[in-house]
Amino acid sequence: MGKAIRASFVAAAALTGGAFGAVRLGYAALAVGFFALSFAPGGIHSDWSMLALLGVVVGVGLGGLLGIWAGVTVAKSLLRKKQKLELPGHPETER
């Protein structure tokens, strides 16, 4: 497998993982923020809404970074496994 294909596979996995991670953690932070704001006087229009927004921004950023890390880790693991199977003399290649 060529280096360009491997690099583009890792990049695609990183982008996909980053997008999924950002969405999942951002949505979770949004849900927790709205739940917490339901107890504040004034609800969503209280002064605490900026803190909830900051939590969502941090959640999206952290989720994106963790998703990128996970995507690259999974892609590297899959490429290593494929590379081991392509080695001559490997027991699973002999089948």
Side-chain angles (χ1 to χ4, degrees), residues 29 33 37 46-58:
L37 282 175
S46 71
D47 294 336
W48 291 100
S49 60
M50 283 296 152
L51 186 62
L53 177 64
L54 180 65
V56 171
V57 169
V58 169

Side-chain angles (χ1 to χ4, degrees), residues 13-15 21-22 24-25 33 35 43 45 49 52 56 62 64-65 72 82 89:
L15 288 174
R24 292 185 82 169
L25 219 55
F35 178 73
H45 302 290
S49 60
V56 171
L62 187 63
L65 289 176
V72 169
K82 183 170 173 66

Side-chain angles (χ1 to χ4, degrees), residues 2 9 18 22-23 25 27 31 38 41 43 49 54 59-61 65 67 69 73 76 84 89 92:
F9 177 66
V23 167
L25 219 55
Y27 182 74
S38 69
S49 60
L54 180 65
V60 167
L65 289 176
W69 175 77
T73 303
K76 283 184 177 181
K84 282 182 184 177
E92 294 192 19

